[in-house]
Amino acid sequence: CSATLGYSSAPVVCNDNNVCTNDTCANGTCVFTPLPIDDGNACTTDTCDPISGPRYTPKTCDDNSVCTTDKCNTTTGDCIFTPVPPPSNDPCTIWTCSATGGYSSAPVVCNDNSVCTKDACVNGICVFTPVNIDDGNPCTIDTCDNVTGVKNTPITCNDNSVCTTDSCNITTGACMFKPIAPPNNDPCTIWTCSPVGGYTSAPKVCNDNSACTTDACVNGNCVFTPVNLDDGNPCTNDTCDAITGPKHTLFVCDDKSVCTKDSCNVTTGQCDFVPIPPPSNDRCTIWTCSPTGGYSSAPVVCNDNNVCTTDTCFNGTCVFTPISYTDNNPCTTDTCDPITGPQYTPITCNDDSVCTTDSCNTTTGLCLFKPIAPPNNDPCTIWTCSATLGYSSAPKVCNDNSACTTDACVNGNCVFTPVNLDDGNPCTNDTCDAITGPKHTLFVCNDNSVCTTDSCNVTTGQCDFVPIPPPSNDRCTIWTCSPTGGYSSAPVVCNDNNVCTTDTCFNGTCVFTPISYGDNNPCTTDTCDPITGPKYTPITCNDDSVCTTDSCNTTTGLCMFKPIAPPNNDPCTIWTCSATLGYQSAPKVCDDSSVCTTDSCVGGTCQFTPISIDDGNACTTDSCDAVAGVSHTSIICDDHSVCTTDSCNTTTGSCIFTLLDPPNNDLCTPVHDRHVQRADRLPEHQQDLQRRLAVHQRLLRSSQRPVPVRAGGVRRQRRLHDRLVRQRRRLPLRQQELRRRECVHDRHLLDLDLLGDSWLPVNPCGVQRLQHVLGGLVRQQRRLVRVHAHRRLHQRHLRQLHGQRRVHDGHVRR
C-alpha cells in the first residue's frame, strides 16, 4: 500500500529455481509441487534435473553373456534374457554356449565298445549296426568278438574214424566222410576197419572141422580137398573120422559114425563112407558131428566185452554195432563207457558272478547268464553289483550349491525348489544370496514396489527407485518382478517334442540329451521313436538254410547257426544237407570193383563177401575174375586113345575112359597080345614115372631152401626161377601121361576080369602065362595106388612151390 497511490497488488513470487516443480502460492504459502515426469516406459529411470528438467535414463539389461538376447519389458520394467538358439538343430550335435566365447559344438558320441558294430548317431539316436561277418564260406563258423573282431573258424569235420577221408562240402557246408578202400582186393582176405586202428586183415577161415580134408581158400571160395584114405590094401575098409582122421578097418563097412553114409562098392570091393552134410549152411552156426549123436550146432559167439555195442554175427562175420545212447538233452555230455554203459554228464554253466542266474538252455545247449534284478526299482537309489559281493546301493545326490533352494530327488530327477523370500514386510527388500541365504533390507523410500531399491537423493530429495537384480544369474530361469509381490521365477521351457531326449537348460541354452534306452540285450536292435519312445527290435538271425537252428547269443549278440543233426545215425548212410531242400541221404558206396564179391555196408564198415561160384559140377574148374566174372572151365578128359570113350564123372570129377568093345573076343588075336605086351612094359613105365617123380621132389626141396639175396646172386635166382617155370609147364603133360597109363592098366585088368575062371580050361594061349600076367597086373595095380598117393603129394608140393616162387619174385623185384 503506497501512501500516495494506495494499494497495488503483485502476485507472491514463488520460485524455487527448480524447473521440476510447479511453483504456486496457496493461502500465502509457496507450494512447490513436483511435475509428473513418468514417460510411461518402465524400462527407463525417470528423474528430473532442477536446471535442465526431466531426464529419462534407459535401464541397462545385460547379463554379460553372448548366449542371450537382452531386453527390457516396457510394461513391467523387468529384464528379459532370451537364450540365443544354436546354429543348427542337428540332434546328433551337442551345443554348449560360453558366456564369453559363444556356442561350441561336439558330436554325440555313440560307442558300445564293440568292434563288431558300426556306431553312428541317426536323428539323435545311437544306432549300433552289426558288421558283416559272413566270409561266404559255408565251411566256417562266422563269429565276432567284441574286442578282437571277426573270426571265421573252420568247421571241424571228424567222425573219429581213420576209415574215412573227412572233408567239408564248400557248397553246402555239410561234413562228408568218404570210406577209404582196403589195401587190396584179395578175395581170400577179409578186411575190417576200426575207427581207431584202421584196416586190419585176416585170412578167410576155411575150416569144415574135419581132419579128413585139406582146407584152403581159392579165389574167395573155400575148397575142402579130401585127404587120401587109400592105404594100398584092397582088403581094408578105408574111412575117415572127422575128429580122429583116416581109419582102415578090415573089410567091414561100418565106421560107427552116424555122420557118414556107409556103403560098399560091389565093383571094387571097397567101402564108401560119404560124409553127411550139416542141416544148414548158416555161416553163423558151427556144426559138429558126433559119431554117436550126429550133428549138433552152436552159434558163433560174438562178444567184444563192450556194453556200448550190439554184438551180432552176419554171414559168418562178427559185427559190433554202436548203440544209440543220446538222451536228446543238449545240456548234458553224452558218452558211453565200455563197462558201465551210457553216461550223461550235465554241462556246468558258471560265470563266477552272484549278479546273474546261471542256467543251461535245454533247447540249444548254450549257457545263459541272466542278470538278477536289484532289490528295488527306486529311481533315486543307484544300485551297483559286484561279481563277488552282490548289490550295493547309494542315494542319488542332488545339490545345486545354493542356499536359496530346497534340494530333493523326485522320481529319479533332481528338483531344486526356491525358498520363500517374502517376510511379509513391504518395507524390506527381500533378496537371497546363494551362499548366505535370504536377506531383508529396510528402505525409506517406497514406490510401492519391491522390485526396486528405494533411496533418497540428498540433493533433490527425490526417491531413487533402482531395479533390484533377480535373486540369481541362472540363465535358465526367467525372472519377473511384481511391484507388490516381488520377484517370481519361471524356468526356461526346453521341449523338442521328442520323448527320446531329456530336455534341460544349461547356461541359458536348451540341451537335448538322448536318453539311455538300452535293454541290456545284445540280441535286440535298440531304437527310439520321437513320439512313441524306445523300441526293441529282435535281431533277425537267418542264414536261409533249413540245415541249421538259428538263434542269437544273448551274451555276445552274435548270430549262431547250429547244424541240425541228420535224421538218424546210420553209419552206412551219408547225409548231406541242402540249404533249401534240407537233409538228403545216399547209401554209403562199398565197391571193390570186383564182380566176384557181394558188396555191403555193415555198421559203417564195407564188407566184401565172396559170391558162391560152385556150379555143382565136379567136372569143371570154378573160378572168378574180378572183371569178367564167374567162369566154369571143363576138365579135359582125353587119354589120346581111339580105343576108349572119354568122359568125366560129374559127381567125383574123375575121368572115365570106357574101353570100346573089340571086333571079336578071340583072346589069342594080336589085340590080346598087345594087351599082354603092354602089361609086360608096365614095370618100365612105372620106373620112368618114379624117376620123374624123384626129379620133381628134388626140385621141390631145392625151392624150399631159403633164397639168399645177394648182389651177385640175382642171375642165379632168375635161372632157378626159369627152370622151375619150365618144369611147371611140363607138369600137365606128365600128369596126362600118368592118367593115360593108369587107364591102360585099368583096361588090362578089365580084360582079365572078362575072361573069368571058365575061360581057363579052354585057353589056347596057356594058363600059366595068363596067371603070370594076372599076378603082374595085381602088383602093378598096387604100385599105381602108391603112385597116386605120390602124385597127390607132388601136387601139394607144387602148391608150396608156387608160394616159394611168389616170395622169390618179391626178392627179385627188391
Side-chain angles (χ1 to χ4, degrees), residues 349-361 366-373 385 391 554-555:
C349 291
N350 186 4
D351 60 354
D352 296 322
S353 174
V354 298
C355 299
T356 57
T357 301
D358 306 335
S359 62
C360 177
N361 189 319
L366 301 176
C367 285
L368 302 177
F369 307 106
K370 183 178 180 181
I372 297 174
C385 191
Y391 272 105
T554 57
T555 301

PDB file of all heavy atoms in Angstrom, residues 349-361 366-373 385 391 554-555:
ATOM      1  N   CYS A 349      27.438-124.505 -16.121  1.00  0.00           N
ATOM      2  CA  CYS A 349      27.325-123.107 -16.543  1.00  0.00           C
ATOM      3  C   CYS A 349      27.577-122.226 -15.310  1.00  0.00           C
ATOM      4  O   CYS A 349      26.756-122.225 -14.376  1.00  0.00           O
ATOM      5  CB  CYS A 349      25.939-122.820 -17.129  1.00  0.00           C
ATOM      6  SG  CYS A 349      25.647-123.634 -18.713  1.00  0.00           S
ATOM      7  N   ASN A 350      28.667-121.484 -15.290  1.00  0.00           N
ATOM      8  CA  ASN A 350      29.014-120.641 -14.147  1.00  0.00           C
ATOM      9  C   ASN A 350      29.907-119.516 -14.631  1.00  0.00           C
ATOM     10  O   ASN A 350      30.986-119.760 -15.168  1.00  0.00           O
ATOM     11  CB  ASN A 350      29.750-121.457 -13.072  1.00  0.00           C
ATOM     12  CG  ASN A 350      29.984-120.635 -11.804  1.00  0.00           C
ATOM     13  OD1 ASN A 350      29.538-119.485 -11.701  1.00  0.00           O
ATOM     14  ND2 ASN A 350      30.685-121.194 -10.856  1.00  0.00           N
ATOM     15  N   ASP A 351      29.424-118.256 -14.508  1.00  0.00           N
ATOM     16  CA  ASP A 351      30.247-117.105 -14.872  1.00  0.00           C
ATOM     17  C   ASP A 351      30.902-116.478 -13.647  1.00  0.00           C
ATOM     18  O   ASP A 351      31.394-115.348 -13.712  1.00  0.00           O
ATOM     19  CB  ASP A 351      29.418-116.054 -15.626  1.00  0.00           C
ATOM     20  CG  ASP A 351      28.253-115.526 -14.784  1.00  0.00           C
ATOM     21  OD1 ASP A 351      28.033-116.065 -13.677  1.00  0.00           O
ATOM     22  OD2 ASP A 351      27.577-114.591 -15.225  1.00  0.00           O
ATOM     23  N   ASP A 352      30.879-117.177 -12.492  1.00  0.00           N
ATOM     24  CA  ASP A 352      31.534-116.724 -11.254  1.00  0.00           C
ATOM     25  C   ASP A 352      31.026-115.349 -10.826  1.00  0.00           C
ATOM     26  O   ASP A 352      31.794-114.485 -10.387  1.00  0.00           O
ATOM     27  CB  ASP A 352      33.071-116.697 -11.443  1.00  0.00           C
ATOM     28  CG  ASP A 352      33.614-118.098 -11.685  1.00  0.00           C
ATOM     29  OD1 ASP A 352      33.102-119.046 -11.039  1.00  0.00           O
ATOM     30  OD2 ASP A 352      34.549-118.242 -12.495  1.00  0.00           O
ATOM     31  N   SER A 353      29.747-115.118 -10.989  1.00  0.00           N
ATOM     32  CA  SER A 353      29.174-113.827 -10.588  1.00  0.00           C
ATOM     33  C   SER A 353      27.873-114.080  -9.849  1.00  0.00           C
ATOM     34  O   SER A 353      27.004-114.821 -10.315  1.00  0.00           O
ATOM     35  CB  SER A 353      28.918-112.944 -11.818  1.00  0.00           C
ATOM     36  OG  SER A 353      28.231-111.763 -11.421  1.00  0.00           O
ATOM     37  N   VAL A 354      27.738-113.417  -8.659  1.00  0.00           N
ATOM     38  CA  VAL A 354      26.479-113.549  -7.900  1.00  0.00           C
ATOM     39  C   VAL A 354      25.418-112.621  -8.467  1.00  0.00           C
ATOM     40  O   VAL A 354      24.300-112.571  -7.946  1.00  0.00           O
ATOM     41  CB  VAL A 354      26.732-113.248  -6.410  1.00  0.00           C
ATOM     42  CG1 VAL A 354      27.699-114.231  -5.812  1.00  0.00           C
ATOM     43  CG2 VAL A 354      27.226-111.805  -6.224  1.00  0.00           C
ATOM     44  N   CYS A 355      25.774-111.877  -9.523  1.00  0.00           N
ATOM     45  CA  CYS A 355      24.825-110.917 -10.090  1.00  0.00           C
ATOM     46  C   CYS A 355      23.986-111.535 -11.195  1.00  0.00           C
ATOM     47  O   CYS A 355      23.173-110.846 -11.814  1.00  0.00           O
ATOM     48  CB  CYS A 355      25.579-109.695 -10.642  1.00  0.00           C
ATOM     49  SG  CYS A 355      26.509-108.806  -9.378  1.00  0.00           S
ATOM     50  N   THR A 356      24.229-112.818 -11.511  1.00  0.00           N
ATOM     51  CA  THR A 356      23.474-113.456 -12.586  1.00  0.00           C
ATOM     52  C   THR A 356      22.941-114.794 -12.098  1.00  0.00           C
ATOM     53  O   THR A 356      23.498-115.414 -11.186  1.00  0.00           O
ATOM     54  CB  THR A 356      24.353-113.690 -13.831  1.00  0.00           C
ATOM     55  OG1 THR A 356      25.488-114.488 -13.463  1.00  0.00           O
ATOM     56  CG2 THR A 356      24.821-112.381 -14.428  1.00  0.00           C
ATOM     57  N   THR A 357      21.855-115.205 -12.759  1.00  0.00           N
ATOM     58  CA  THR A 357      21.312-116.551 -12.546  1.00  0.00           C
ATOM     59  C   THR A 357      21.810-117.418 -13.695  1.00  0.00           C
ATOM     60  O   THR A 357      21.511-117.148 -14.870  1.00  0.00           O
ATOM     61  CB  THR A 357      19.772-116.523 -12.544  1.00  0.00           C
ATOM     62  OG1 THR A 357      19.345-115.646 -11.499  1.00  0.00           O
ATOM     63  CG2 THR A 357      19.220-117.924 -12.313  1.00  0.00           C
ATOM     64  N   ASP A 358      22.617-118.453 -13.377  1.00  0.00           N
ATOM     65  CA  ASP A 358      23.260-119.281 -14.393  1.00  0.00           C
ATOM     66  C   ASP A 358      22.395-120.505 -14.671  1.00  0.00           C
ATOM     67  O   ASP A 358      21.920-121.188 -13.748  1.00  0.00           O
ATOM     68  CB  ASP A 358      24.652-119.727 -13.925  1.00  0.00           C
ATOM     69  CG  ASP A 358      25.509-118.537 -13.525  1.00  0.00           C
ATOM     70  OD1 ASP A 358      25.242-117.434 -14.036  1.00  0.00           O
ATOM     71  OD2 ASP A 358      26.434-118.717 -12.703  1.00  0.00           O
ATOM     72  N   SER A 359      22.213-120.798 -15.956  1.00  0.00           N
ATOM     73  CA  SER A 359      21.421-121.968 -16.350  1.00  0.00           C
ATOM     74  C   SER A 359      21.851-122.399 -17.743  1.00  0.00           C
ATOM     75  O   SER A 359      22.651-121.725 -18.407  1.00  0.00           O
ATOM     76  CB  SER A 359      19.922-121.643 -16.343  1.00  0.00           C
ATOM     77  OG  SER A 359      19.623-120.636 -17.281  1.00  0.00           O
ATOM     78  N   CYS A 360      21.344-123.547 -18.164  1.00  0.00           N
ATOM     79  CA  CYS A 360      21.637-124.098 -19.491  1.00  0.00           C
ATOM     80  C   CYS A 360      20.333-124.155 -20.287  1.00  0.00           C
ATOM     81  O   CYS A 360      19.316-124.634 -19.790  1.00  0.00           O
ATOM     82  CB  CYS A 360      22.272-125.486 -19.383  1.00  0.00           C
ATOM     83  SG  CYS A 360      22.577-126.263 -21.004  1.00  0.00           S
ATOM     84  N   ASN A 361      20.383-123.682 -21.527  1.00  0.00           N
ATOM     85  CA  ASN A 361      19.210-123.713 -22.413  1.00  0.00           C
ATOM     86  C   ASN A 361      19.035-125.138 -22.927  1.00  0.00           C
ATOM     87  O   ASN A 361      19.868-125.652 -23.678  1.00  0.00           O
ATOM     88  CB  ASN A 361      19.408-122.738 -23.587  1.00  0.00           C
ATOM     89  CG  ASN A 361      18.140-122.574 -24.395  1.00  0.00           C
ATOM     90  OD1 ASN A 361      17.425-123.540 -24.651  1.00  0.00           O
ATOM     91  ND2 ASN A 361      17.857-121.346 -24.796  1.00  0.00           N
ATOM     92  N   LEU A 366      23.180-123.986 -24.883  1.00  0.00           N
ATOM     93  CA  LEU A 366      24.057-122.863 -24.571  1.00  0.00           C
ATOM     94  C   LEU A 366      23.848-122.420 -23.117  1.00  0.00           C
ATOM     95  O   LEU A 366      22.751-122.530 -22.560  1.00  0.00           O
ATOM     96  CB  LEU A 366      23.776-121.695 -25.519  1.00  0.00           C
ATOM     97  CG  LEU A 366      23.949-121.995 -27.014  1.00  0.00           C
ATOM     98  CD1 LEU A 366      23.544-120.794 -27.839  1.00  0.00           C
ATOM     99  CD2 LEU A 366      25.395-122.388 -27.320  1.00  0.00           C
ATOM    100  N   CYS A 367      24.909-121.850 -22.529  1.00  0.00           N
ATOM    101  CA  CYS A 367      24.820-121.336 -21.172  1.00  0.00           C
ATOM    102  C   CYS A 367      24.151-119.968 -21.182  1.00  0.00           C
ATOM    103  O   CYS A 367      24.453-119.118 -22.040  1.00  0.00           O
ATOM    104  CB  CYS A 367      26.220-121.230 -20.547  1.00  0.00           C
ATOM    105  SG  CYS A 367      26.904-122.830 -20.065  1.00  0.00           S
ATOM    106  N   LEU A 368      23.200-119.750 -20.252  1.00  0.00           N
ATOM    107  CA  LEU A 368      22.505-118.479 -20.123  1.00  0.00           C
ATOM    108  C   LEU A 368      22.886-117.851 -18.776  1.00  0.00           C
ATOM    109  O   LEU A 368      22.832-118.510 -17.738  1.00  0.00           O
ATOM    110  CB  LEU A 368      20.985-118.687 -20.192  1.00  0.00           C
ATOM    111  CG  LEU A 368      20.437-119.358 -21.452  1.00  0.00           C
ATOM    112  CD1 LEU A 368      18.943-119.566 -21.328  1.00  0.00           C
ATOM    113  CD2 LEU A 368      20.749-118.516 -22.673  1.00  0.00           C
ATOM    114  N   PHE A 369      23.272-116.562 -18.820  1.00  0.00           N
ATOM    115  CA  PHE A 369      23.625-115.831 -17.603  1.00  0.00           C
ATOM    116  C   PHE A 369      22.677-114.636 -17.506  1.00  0.00           C
ATOM    117  O   PHE A 369      22.916-113.585 -18.100  1.00  0.00           O
ATOM    118  CB  PHE A 369      25.097-115.389 -17.640  1.00  0.00           C
ATOM    119  CG  PHE A 369      26.041-116.524 -17.912  1.00  0.00           C
ATOM    120  CD1 PHE A 369      26.668-116.663 -19.154  1.00  0.00           C
ATOM    121  CD2 PHE A 369      26.297-117.492 -16.937  1.00  0.00           C
ATOM    122  CE1 PHE A 369      27.517-117.707 -19.397  1.00  0.00           C
ATOM    123  CE2 PHE A 369      27.160-118.527 -17.190  1.00  0.00           C
ATOM    124  CZ  PHE A 369      27.758-118.650 -18.418  1.00  0.00           C
ATOM    125  N   LYS A 370      21.561-114.801 -16.813  1.00  0.00           N
ATOM    126  CA  LYS A 370      20.522-113.776 -16.729  1.00  0.00           C
ATOM    127  C   LYS A 370      20.811-112.860 -15.542  1.00  0.00           C
ATOM    128  O   LYS A 370      20.927-113.307 -14.405  1.00  0.00           O
ATOM    129  CB  LYS A 370      19.153-114.434 -16.566  1.00  0.00           C
ATOM    130  CG  LYS A 370      18.012-113.451 -16.541  1.00  0.00           C
ATOM    131  CD  LYS A 370      16.670-114.174 -16.422  1.00  0.00           C
ATOM    132  CE  LYS A 370      15.511-113.183 -16.398  1.00  0.00           C
ATOM    133  NZ  LYS A 370      14.215-113.894 -16.253  1.00  0.00           N
ATOM    134  N   PRO A 371      20.927-111.503 -15.807  1.00  0.00           N
ATOM    135  CA  PRO A 371      21.205-110.579 -14.692  1.00  0.00           C
ATOM    136  C   PRO A 371      20.084-110.625 -13.655  1.00  0.00           C
ATOM    137  O   PRO A 371      18.899-110.660 -13.989  1.00  0.00           O
ATOM    138  CB  PRO A 371      21.304-109.212 -15.378  1.00  0.00           C
ATOM    139  CG  PRO A 371      21.601-109.521 -16.806  1.00  0.00           C
ATOM    140  CD  PRO A 371      20.933-110.818 -17.103  1.00  0.00           C
ATOM    141  N   ILE A 372      20.466-110.586 -12.370  1.00  0.00           N
ATOM    142  CA  ILE A 372      19.495-110.558 -11.275  1.00  0.00           C
ATOM    143  C   ILE A 372      19.066-109.108 -11.050  1.00  0.00           C
ATOM    144  O   ILE A 372      19.899-108.196 -11.031  1.00  0.00           O
ATOM    145  CB  ILE A 372      20.108-111.147  -9.993  1.00  0.00           C
ATOM    146  CG1 ILE A 372      20.466-112.629 -10.229  1.00  0.00           C
ATOM    147  CG2 ILE A 372      19.159-111.012  -8.806  1.00  0.00           C
ATOM    148  CD1 ILE A 372      21.212-113.247  -9.070  1.00  0.00           C
ATOM    149  N   ALA A 373      17.761-108.857 -10.936  1.00  0.00           N
ATOM    150  CA  ALA A 373      17.260-107.502 -10.744  1.00  0.00           C
ATOM    151  C   ALA A 373      17.682-106.990  -9.363  1.00  0.00           C
ATOM    152  O   ALA A 373      17.849-107.762  -8.405  1.00  0.00           O
ATOM    153  CB  ALA A 373      15.739-107.486 -10.854  1.00  0.00           C
ATOM    154  N   CYS A 385      26.428-103.697  -8.773  1.00  0.00           N
ATOM    155  CA  CYS A 385      26.550-105.120  -8.433  1.00  0.00           C
ATOM    156  C   CYS A 385      27.979-105.582  -8.634  1.00  0.00           C
ATOM    157  O   CYS A 385      28.547-105.411  -9.725  1.00  0.00           O
ATOM    158  CB  CYS A 385      25.602-105.967  -9.283  1.00  0.00           C
ATOM    159  SG  CYS A 385      25.472-107.678  -8.690  1.00  0.00           S
ATOM    160  N   TYR A 391      24.807-106.852  -4.781  1.00  0.00           N
ATOM    161  CA  TYR A 391      24.303-105.493  -4.940  1.00  0.00           C
ATOM    162  C   TYR A 391      24.678-104.616  -3.727  1.00  0.00           C
ATOM    163  O   TYR A 391      24.650-105.061  -2.566  1.00  0.00           O
ATOM    164  CB  TYR A 391      22.785-105.508  -5.086  1.00  0.00           C
ATOM    165  CG  TYR A 391      22.342-105.682  -6.511  1.00  0.00           C
ATOM    166  CD1 TYR A 391      21.844-106.899  -6.960  1.00  0.00           C
ATOM    167  CD2 TYR A 391      22.444-104.626  -7.422  1.00  0.00           C
ATOM    168  CE1 TYR A 391      21.441-107.077  -8.278  1.00  0.00           C
ATOM    169  CE2 TYR A 391      22.033-104.791  -8.737  1.00  0.00           C
ATOM    170  CZ  TYR A 391      21.541-105.996  -9.163  1.00  0.00           C
ATOM    171  OH  TYR A 391      21.150-106.157 -10.452  1.00  0.00           O
ATOM    172  N   THR A 554      22.572-114.371 -26.370  1.00  0.00           N
ATOM    173  CA  THR A 554      22.173-113.238 -25.535  1.00  0.00           C
ATOM    174  C   THR A 554      23.326-112.662 -24.737  1.00  0.00           C
ATOM    175  O   THR A 554      23.153-111.641 -24.068  1.00  0.00           O
ATOM    176  CB  THR A 554      21.056-113.690 -24.571  1.00  0.00           C
ATOM    177  OG1 THR A 554      21.529-114.803 -23.789  1.00  0.00           O
ATOM    178  CG2 THR A 554      19.816-114.106 -25.326  1.00  0.00           C
ATOM    179  N   THR A 555      24.476-113.290 -24.775  1.00  0.00           N
ATOM    180  CA  THR A 555      25.651-112.740 -24.085  1.00  0.00           C
ATOM    181  C   THR A 555      26.470-111.845 -25.013  1.00  0.00           C
ATOM    182  O   THR A 555      26.859-110.751 -24.657  1.00  0.00           O
ATOM    183  CB  THR A 555      26.533-113.882 -23.544  1.00  0.00           C
ATOM    184  OG1 THR A 555      25.761-114.679 -22.652  1.00  0.00           O
ATOM    185  CG2 THR A 555      27.740-113.319 -22.801  1.00  0.00           C
TER     186      THR A 555
END
